[in-house]
Amino acid sequence: MVEPMNWISEVVRPRIKTLFKRETPENLWVKCPDTGQMVFHKEVEANHWVIPGSEHHLKMGAQARLKMMFDEGTWIDVALPEVAPDPLKFRDEKRYADRLKEARAKTGLQDAFKIGFGRVGGLPMVLAAQEFGFMAGSLGMAAGEAFVRGAETALEKRTPYVLFAASGGARMQEGILSLMQMPRTTVAVRRLNAARLPYIVVLTNPTTGGVTASYAMLGDVHLAEPGALICFAGPRVIEQTIREKLPDGFQRAEYLREHGMVDQVVHRHQLKETITRLCGLLTNVAQAGAPVTASEAA
């Protein structure tokens, strides 16, 4: 015998539940890695991705970096060279070409670099920011070409070159072609040195591997954000190799400053002021200028 349908429980109640159901965005809150504090996402974003209270510095995208640094949040994008997208036809769990496609869709960038030309504190500068969200900011042919193009732009404009480094190292999918970017970028830095143009590096979390072993540690001045991991091989690899426990804070920005590898650890909110002051001293420019004009950008 079929039981009669209870129209109150089977019809009315589900409709009432649906009527008052609210969708909660997945990224509404951000959890502080240090304290476990839950902070409203928009509040963290407005604070340049620094957790209020604990001051923990979260990773920051390349676009947001440039917007934070350039006056009025405006700049002129430096066109980056195109390279062979998959020179080795590499495949591991999936094709390298597919990984590139996914990273481009996720970040809106062609590769792990974004470079802009504009004014910072009134001074003309070329700023390069690595995008960690693009395959961990890894150094491949496109990233190497981008860094070199940024240096060439600084040479053409006679401006300082400022790099925000964030990388997991060389891109294994490009093999020796990736490793060759280390000497290429080093030559670009030497050209800046020969032209007596400042090259300032801001080491952010994390800066590791082949990037640390090349252009990220060749600056005239090395700044670092608080708590940033800066190393060649990570602490876990070193501990497994030497079979010893490493000191607390080993390879973090504050430890490297104490041991002479970093000149200054600077809070993200103070970076623009600090870089403007350093570039003014190194270029002997005392006064801020007007926004970059079309003739300067040409």
Side-chain angles (χ1 to χ4, degrees):
M1 179 179 178
V2 180
E3 295 183 2
M5 182 178 69
N6 186 330
W7 67 274
I8 295 178
S9 61
E10 300 298 330
V11 179
V12 177
R13 285 178 60 189
R15 289 182 180 178
I16 292 174
K17 287 180 181 178
T18 305
L19 180 64
F20 292 101
K21 187 176 180 181
R22 295 172 60 186
E23 296 293 334
T24 303
E26 293 182 1
N27 63 345
L28 186 62
W29 299 92
V30 176
K31 184 177 181 180
C32 176
D34 288 341
T35 65
Q37 172 191 6
M38 299 297 291
V39 186
F40 193 44
H41 181 276
K42 290 292 184 182
E43 185 179 351
V44 178
E45 185 178 5
N47 203 40
H48 300 307
W49 301 102
V50 177
I51 301 289
S54 70
E55 300 300 318
H56 180 90
H57 286 50
L58 298 172
K59 293 182 180 69
M60 192 176 192
Q63 179 82 11
R65 286 271 179 199
L66 299 190
K67 187 174 181 180
M68 178 187 77
M69 289 296 299
F70 281 115
D71 294 349
E72 300 177 359
T74 60
W75 67 91
I76 297 166
D77 282 328
V78 174
L80 304 181
E82 293 186 5
V83 300
D86 186 8
L88 303 181
K89 306 300 178 186
F90 188 91
R91 184 188 184 108
D92 46 17
E93 294 177 351
K94 62 174 67 174
R95 294 190 309 158
Y96 176 42
D98 293 337
R99 292 189 184 277
L100 286 174
K101 188 181 298 183
E102 290 172 6
R104 287 167 179 166
K106 175 184 174 183
T107 63
L109 301 178
Q110 285 300 107
D111 210 88
F113 257 90
K114 187 169 184 63
I115 302 179
F117 169 61
R119 289 193 184 272
V120 178
L123 303 177
M125 292 186 202
V126 175
L127 267 55
Q130 290 189 258
E131 175 58 68
F132 192 81
F134 194 107
M135 297 187 69
S138 48
L139 174 62
M141 293 172 59
E145 288 287 354
F147 179 89
V148 172
R149 176 60 58 87
E152 291 173 345
T153 304
L155 286 165
E156 292 170 8
K157 309 296 184 185
R158 301 295 300 174
T159 69
Y161 189 29
V162 180
L163 167 75
F164 290 88
S167 177
R171 190 172 298 174
M172 69 173 188
Q173 291 89 347
E174 296 184 15
I176 191 64
L177 299 173
S178 170
L179 296 179
M180 283 304 298
Q181 306 312 308
M182 295 169 65
R184 291 189 69 245
T185 54
T186 300
V187 170
V189 173
R190 288 178 65 90
R191 291 183 63 198
L192 290 169
N193 293 340
R196 304 180 68 83
L197 293 173
Y199 171 51
I200 296 175
V201 179
V202 182
L203 302 160
T204 75
N205 184 48
T207 302
T208 64
V211 170
T212 308
S214 56
Y215 57 86
M217 296 305 290
L218 296 176
D220 299 309
V221 179
H222 291 101
L223 307 177
E225 290 190 332
L229 176 66
I230 304 162
C231 61
F232 180 69
R236 183 180 60 183
V237 174
I238 295 175
E239 286 184 340
Q240 291 174 347
T241 303
I242 66 175
R243 294 181 172 83
E244 290 185 19
K245 185 67 178 175
L246 298 172
D248 290 339
F250 183 71
Q251 295 182 318
R252 295 290 172 175
E254 293 77 8
Y255 185 94
L256 268 64
R257 178 191 58 196
E258 293 171 4
H259 292 78
M261 293 291 290
V262 169
D263 296 302
Q264 190 176 357
V265 177
V266 183
H267 193 287
R268 188 172 290 166
H269 295 167
Q270 305 300 322
L271 276 174
K272 181 172 181 177
E273 177 187 346
T274 302
I275 290 172
T276 300
R277 184 171 65 252
L278 284 170
C279 289
L281 290 170
L282 294 172
T283 57
N284 198 27
V285 175
Q287 221 172 11
V292 171
T293 63
S295 60
E296 286 179 304

